């Protein structure tokens, strides 16, 4: 049997070695074979929460994360001059006991969510660089909640009836017209972290799923969201890593997998790490990643899995911080298209430029229909900032500095109306536990709190499967 090693960052196999050598313990130095009851892939909201749950119940696990930190889309910038923290990823959490308990578990104080600093809204068409005079954003009202209440099975998942209501498969713009939701359209699309893609063409099911009962409570002010008291939402993940790090592989990626159809066979993963290739052998695999094919390819999907997961697609979505803008932190600029239905911006474009606690620094969100490079987005940001100066009656005195950038692609994933009608989500849920693999990611729920809640509900069954 041929042994292999990491050389020059690549997996070097003798030409005559069989592919099965990858999964043979004898092919690895003894220190590069990791045996656990559970392997968790993805150190974002779901994967970290699952790892903490396993740890607290005394279960053996290893958590594999491709980046150099835990937290996924929870990203925080530290201003080098003042030490001020700025969250440019996840902004807020639902104020439920599970959220409060998780932060308390890692001694992270929380407070009611605000979008500091206080700023005057400016509604402008970022394409023309002109203020949209007389624009008034609609408010979330009973027209929306009346419709939402028809679909309680969209809270925290896609637990659809066998016959999916045809209304749910309408493009959102058509649903709005059919049920006269014009007053709530802005509040359920642009005025929040909007689903990516064309906001009037996405299916109604995805609007109701993303802006479900918990999110409506936030939007209507019935519930004050939570954030960390230090404006550092990454703190809970940093503290979690400090406790879990003996069982965490950062900067690590899956290059091959073998998953048995039997419980006894478990799973085997070949992992590329900073210190060489490792073989992970576990009873159960927990996936905290979006289930698009590019992510799932290394896991050796069979025809059943391939036929289901190949249907999932996602649009790009980006966020960043730009400073030295010369703009006043007293204004919050929101993109309002002057000549489109419901003033929804055409894509690609920025959603807003929102001031942060760092003077002259702004947070932006950028939505596109095709992958877009950081250089292109930042070039467009400079152009837009110049337009905002024209609106404010000021002049850019220096070149903006880009402090941070995040690619959240695919931000949300979706399938077609035809796929939903044909039972896609029934088939997706049927994969839970299949080939000793469990799925806990944002494919099923929106927002960290709801993802944590789903993960907490699933963990007992996952643990039981390991025997």
């Amino acid at each position: 049997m041929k042994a292999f090693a990491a050389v020059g960052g690549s997996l070097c196999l003798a030409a005559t070695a069989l592919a099965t050598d990858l999964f043979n313990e004898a092919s690895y130095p003894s220190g590069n074979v990791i045996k656990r009851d559970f392997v968790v892939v993805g150190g974002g909201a779901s994967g970290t929460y699952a790892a903490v749950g396993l740890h607290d119940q005394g279960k053996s696990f290893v958590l594999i994360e491709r980046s150099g930190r835990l937290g996924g889309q929870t990203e925080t910038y530290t201003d080098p001059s003042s030490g001020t923290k700025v969250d440019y990823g996840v902004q807020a959490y639902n104020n439920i006991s599970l959220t409060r308990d998780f932060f308390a578990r890692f001694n992270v104080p929380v407070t009611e969510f605000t979008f500091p600093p206080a700023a005057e809204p400016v509604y402008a068409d970022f394409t023309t660089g002109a203020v949209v005079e007389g624009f008034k954003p609609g408010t979330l009202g009973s027209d929306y909640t009346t419709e939402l209440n028809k679909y309680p099975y969209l809270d925290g998942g896609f637990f659809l009836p066998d016959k999916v209501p045809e209304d749910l498969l309408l493009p959102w713009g058509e649903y709005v017209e059919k049920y006269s939701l014009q007053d709530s359209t802005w509040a359920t699309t642009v005025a929040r972290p909007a689903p990516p893609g064309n906001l009037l063409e996405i299916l109604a099911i995805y609007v109701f799923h993303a802006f479900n009962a918990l999110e409506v409570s936030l939007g209507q002010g019935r519930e004050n969201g939570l954030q960390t008291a230090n404006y550092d939402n990454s703190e809970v993940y940093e503290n979690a890593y400090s406790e879990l790090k003996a069982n965490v592989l950062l900067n690590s990626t899956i290059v091959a997998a073998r998953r048995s159809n039997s419980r006894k066979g478990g799973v085997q993963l070949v992992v590329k790490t900073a210190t060489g290739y490792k073989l992970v052998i576990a009873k159960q695999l927990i996936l905290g990643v979006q289930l698009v094919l590019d992510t799932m390819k290394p896991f050796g999907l069979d025809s059943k899995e391939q036929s289901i997961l190949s249907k999932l697609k996602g649009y790009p979505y980006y966020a960043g911080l730009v400073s030295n803008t010369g703009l006043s932190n007293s204004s919050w600029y929101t993109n309002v298209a002057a000549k489109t239905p419901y003033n929804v911006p055409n894509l690609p474009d920025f959603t807003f430029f929102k001031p942060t606690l760092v003077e002259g620094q702004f947070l932006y969100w950028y939505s596109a229909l095709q992958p877009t490079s950081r250089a292109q987005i930042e070039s467009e940001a400079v152009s837009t900032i110049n337009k905002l100066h024209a609106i404010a009656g000021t002049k850019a005195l220096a070149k903006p500095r880009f402090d941070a950038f995040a690619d959240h692609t695919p931000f949300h994933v979706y399938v077609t109306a035809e796929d939903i009608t044909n039972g896609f989500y029934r088939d997706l849920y049927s994969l839970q536990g299949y080939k000793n693999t469990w799925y806990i990611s944002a494919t099923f729920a929106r927002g960290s709190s709801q993802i944590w809640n789903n993960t907490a509900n699933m963990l007992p069954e996952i643990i039981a499967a390991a025997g």
Side-chain angles (χ1 to χ4, degrees), residues 25-40:
E25 293 181 52
S27 299
Y28 296 80
S30 59
N32 284 14
V33 177
I34 301 171
K35 295 183 178 181
R36 299 287 191 273
D37 286 336
F38 303 92
V39 53
V40 183

Side-chain angles (χ1 to χ4, degrees), residues 39-43 46-47 62-65 254 269 285-289 299:
V39 53
V40 183
V41 177
S46 61
V62 59
L63 171 60
I64 301 168
E65 165 56 34
I254 311 302
L269 304 180
L285 167 63
I286 304 172
L287 289 177
V289 297
F299 293 95

Side-chain angles (χ1 to χ4, degrees), residues 90-173:
V90 173
Q91 298 290 307
Y93 301 86
N94 294 116
N95 190 354
I96 56 177
S97 60
L98 180 141
T99 302
R100 296 189 297 272
D101 291 346
F102 190 57
F103 281 103
R105 164 72 176 75
F106 291 102
N107 300 310
V108 177
V110 294
T111 187
E112 290 185 359
F113 173 73
T114 59
F115 239 159
E120 188 71 21
V122 176
Y123 299 104
D125 189 322
F126 286 7
T127 300
T128 65
V131 171
V132 179
E133 300 292 349
F135 174 79
K136 294 183 179 180
T139 57
L140 183 66
S142 60
D143 56 348
Y144 179 82
T145 55
T146 296
E147 294 304 311
L148 174 65
N149 290 338
K150 295 178 181 178
Y151 316 114
Y153 40 77
L154 293 177
D155 284 351
F158 294 93
F159 307 107
L160 305 177
D162 290 337
K163 182 173 175 53
V164 179
E166 293 182 1
D167 282 347
L168 281 179
L169 306 181
L170 291 174
W172 183 236

